[in-house]
Amino acid sequence: MPQFGRLLREVGLVLLNFFLIAAHGSSNDPLPFNASTIPQQVNMMLFYDYNASLQANWTTHGVSRELSDLIAGFASTGLPGLYRIDTKVLDFSHGRVKLFPDWHELLHDAFAEALPHLNEQGCLRGFFVGDELTAQGLPFDDLVKIVDALNALLVSANVAATCRIIYYNESIVVAGWTSDIPHNLTHFSMDYYHGTATGRIGQTVWDLYKSYVLPKLGPNTKMLFVPQAFGSKVDTRVDHTFEAYVQWSMRNLTEFIQWSSLDDRIVGFNPWHLLNRPVANVSACCSAGFGCCEIGASNMPQLFETLVQLGQAIKGRLTTTIS
């Protein structure tokens, strides 16, 4: 598995693409897409982090571990959601993620709590299983157990098809999976933050999807992309200015949108991330891979405006060119 080992070693490494970004033009350059060029099958716009009032007009679903937040957000804005259940059934307290011994009962409890809201009049359209769980030590077979059990609960409760989303995101660790992506997932994504055009190791996200996602995808599972949507003002490295982060995200977002036309199973986007996050160790984040990421897209005006317009286009609200 030499290529996989190389991928893991390179995860997070953005090579010299930052210094190339400045050559692409000013921050006011329009993106080369409009509502009519977004493929017809693209119908989902999610976002890591949850703020219903901020998202309601341009995302299709909110995602939260707090069911009460999803209920309140739907009541005030009409934004339906996906209930994130990883902390309901998994123990994150020992370094490596593992199932709670009574995970099955805990999953039943979480599902029973959610069931009254899993309908077109309710706030839920399904579940988000979690993020990069096998990369954090969860055995692949245990991931499959969660997905299959959740699917069985949805089927046995006769939940409407429109409210049966089961979505999971994994890192480049998916390259090392020796089994197919769990077939009972309705949606899957892999996050990998590549350099503009060339990628970190000569491969873009689409190259990696073709190699490690498409061949393992079940017949009924759709794909999302996870564009980077973050910036930094504490990164001290040369050519890692806030503006460089903005332009890196903008250029790669353009690529993601273009790639969405290459396979009908690509149905949306789930950028990372919306809100600001604390930085515990500036030196560590400056030296680690894709860099510091304390600034969320909502505090990056140019990128945020573009993402809002993209989401509105997906929701069918725009008829003019996005720029």
Side-chain angles (χ1 to χ4, degrees):
M1 302 283 286
Q3 187 177 14
F4 175 53
R6 185 183 181 194
L7 284 168
L8 289 180
R9 289 193 300 271
E10 294 292 343
V11 166
L13 293 179
V14 176
L15 297 177
L16 299 178
N17 293 295
F18 274 95
F19 83 86
L20 294 173
I21 288 171
H24 284 289
S26 73
S27 62
N28 293 319
D29 289 344
L31 286 175
F33 68 89
N34 57 52
S36 66
T37 64
I38 297 172
Q40 187 64 36
Q41 82 276 2
V42 174
N43 58 16
M44 294 183 73
M45 183 71 174
L46 313 181
F47 228 108
Y48 279 91
D49 297 329
Y50 180 73
N51 183 316
S53 61
L54 185 62
Q55 296 175 250
N57 290 330
W58 55 278
T59 58
T60 59
H61 306 77
V63 181
S64 178
R65 291 184 172 117
E66 301 298 328
L67 181 57
S68 59
D69 287 349
L70 293 169
I71 294 170
F74 183 71
S76 62
T77 69
L79 178 67
L82 304 180
Y83 189 18
R84 182 169 177 172
I85 59 165
D86 49 358
T87 56
K88 302 292 184 181
V89 297
L90 296 172
D91 184 353
F92 288 82
S93 65
H94 299 289
R96 293 179 65 84
V97 176
K98 63 180 182 179
L99 286 169
F100 285 120
D102 57 345
W103 72 271
H104 204 266
E105 291 76 15
L106 293 170
L107 181 62
H108 273 261
D109 292 344
F111 184 81
E113 182 184 27
L115 184 56
H117 309 284
L118 282 164
N119 55 74
E120 290 290 346
Q121 291 72 46
C123 69
L124 294 181
R125 299 297 176 266
F127 296 88
F128 180 44
V129 175
D131 186 64
E132 300 186 0
L133 297 177
T134 70
Q136 299 177 72
L138 182 71
F140 177 82
D141 288 346
D142 287 348
L143 172 64
V144 176
K145 289 178 184 177
I146 297 170
V147 173
D148 289 351
L150 190 55
N151 179 67
L153 288 168
L154 288 164
V155 172
S156 65
N158 199 28
V159 172
T162 54
C163 299
R164 288 192 193 180
I165 292 172
I166 306 177
Y167 168 43
Y168 176 68
N169 177 73
E170 188 52 81
S171 73
I172 189 61
V173 165
V174 70
W177 286 1
T178 56
S179 299
D180 287 345
I181 292 165
H183 284 192
N184 279 321
L185 287 172
T186 62
H187 296 78
F188 177 82
S189 60
M190 180 199 73
D191 60 74
Y192 181 85
Y193 306 122
H194 70 287
T196 303
T198 59
R200 288 181 289 209
I201 53 173
Q203 293 179 285
T204 64
V205 167
W206 181 238
D207 294 326
L208 298 173
Y209 264 67
K210 289 189 292 183
S211 296
Y212 302 116
V213 177
L214 271 65
K216 300 176 182 179
L217 203 66
N220 300 312
T221 305
K222 306 300 184 183
M223 296 179 289
L224 302 179
F225 284 137
V226 183
Q228 69 269 24
F230 55 81
S232 179
K233 292 185 178 179
V234 300
D235 195 330
T236 59
R237 291 172 294 176
V238 175
D239 297 317
H240 286 62
T241 64
F242 177 71
E243 181 61 20
Y245 274 97
V246 172
Q247 292 305 310
W248 177 45
S249 295
M250 291 285 288
R251 298 298 170 180
N252 281 354
L253 178 61
T254 303
E255 292 180 336
F256 281 113
I257 293 167
Q258 292 169 343
W259 293 331
S260 68
S261 67
L262 300 179
D263 194 297
D264 289 344
R265 292 170 291 180
I266 301 167
V267 298
F269 306 94
N270 185 20
W272 189 78
H273 51 90
L274 183 62
L275 307 176
N276 287 356
R277 301 181 176 210
V279 176
N281 187 323
V282 173
S283 297
C285 78
C286 285
S287 62
F290 53 81
C292 301
C293 48
E294 81 278 3
I295 298 177
S298 60
N299 290 284
M300 302 170 71
Q302 182 195 0
L303 176 63
F304 185 63
E305 179 182 358
T306 302
L307 288 164
V308 167
Q309 293 180 7
L310 172 62
Q312 289 175 336
I314 291 171
K315 294 184 76 163
R317 296 182 177 181
L318 290 184
T319 57
T320 57
T321 299
I322 298 173
S323 63

